Amino acid sequence: MDDIVKQAMAKWPNVPDCFGWLGLDARGQWFLRDDATQAQGAFPDSKGSLLEHEKLLAFIARNYAHDDQGRWFFQNGPQRVYVELEAAPLVWRLQPDGQVQAHTGVLAMPEACIVDEQGRAYFMTALGLGLVHSLDVGLVADGLEQGRWPQEEVPAARLAQRFGFIPSPAQHQTAQM
């Protein structure tokens, strides 16, 4: 986490959390979801505006984490902005050396490959579960045929509970009230 973010958190410790305003799609793209977008429906049916500013994307990536409940968030200065997830909290790209790189730029080593009933591939790593980017699914299929990773089938509806993440912190927050 950036030092400036830590300083802002210390200076303003009681800033309310933000829900529903940021989404992460299945290709690792961030979407800003204003009030009008949220009124049109839940993410990803109503995505919002694609974020494309490189420095903003890098700032989000450096300050992306999860809490003890499994809600992923972007720490925006003193405010925690919880993220709506289309598929998983991370989106992986395969690297030539066998590691995977998250949409945030962080590298990890796959521990297992999870496949859902729709044929989508996920990697479990020390950082958590992430969906394999659609452009790398062929490489994963080759790796599975070669026995590079243990494989397990898990229905998509059970992934969040099994791997400890909350796909929609906004809906979860509303249900808790």
Side-chain angles (χ1 to χ4, degrees):
M1 192 169 294
D2 289 357
D3 285 338
I4 194 166
V5 170
K6 292 176 187 174
Q7 292 168 8
M9 291 168 61
K11 188 172 183 177
W12 297 290
N14 298 316
V15 174
D17 296 333
C18 181
F19 292 89
W21 283 77
L22 188 63
L24 178 68
D25 77 359
R27 295 180 64 83
Q29 299 175 13
W30 297 104
F31 288 84
L32 183 62
R33 305 182 69 245
D34 62 14
D35 282 331
T37 299
Q38 291 180 51
Q40 292 175 359
F43 189 80
D45 295 329
S46 180
K47 283 191 173 181
S49 302
L50 176 64
L51 295 179
E52 299 181 277
H53 190 277
E54 288 182 33
K55 291 189 183 213
L56 175 58
L57 295 172
F59 181 65
I60 292 172
R62 289 191 311 272
N63 297 286
Y64 184 56
H66 62 86
D67 65 15
D68 292 339
Q69 294 181 42
R71 300 176 302 179
W72 286 75
F73 62 88
F74 154 53
Q75 189 69 45
N76 185 24
Q79 186 170 53
R80 190 168 278 191
V81 179
Y82 284 97
V83 178
E84 300 294 296
L85 306 171
E86 182 173 356
L90 300 164
V91 177
W92 298 117
R93 296 299 312 263
L94 274 72
Q95 303 301 301
D97 65 358
Q99 294 188 89
V100 292
Q101 184 174 28
H103 67 283
T104 60
V106 177
L107 292 170
M109 192 59 81
E111 298 167 2
C113 183
I114 312 301
V115 178
D116 70 15
E117 71 278 8
Q118 297 173 20
R120 292 182 294 190
Y122 303 80
F123 280 131
M124 184 60 200
T125 74
L127 298 175
L129 183 77
L131 179 68
V132 173
H133 193 284
S134 59
L135 294 176
D136 292 340
V137 171
L139 297 171
V140 172
D142 292 343
L144 288 171
E145 285 179 2
Q146 298 164 6
R148 285 183 67 186
W149 314 284
Q151 179 183 343
E152 182 179 352
E153 293 184 22
V154 177
R158 299 176 104 183
L159 288 169
Q161 180 180 16
R162 170 80 188 280
F163 295 100
F165 67 91
I166 296 176
S168 177
Q171 289 177 358
H172 180 76
Q173 179 73 7
T174 301
Q176 299 297 316
M177 297 177 126

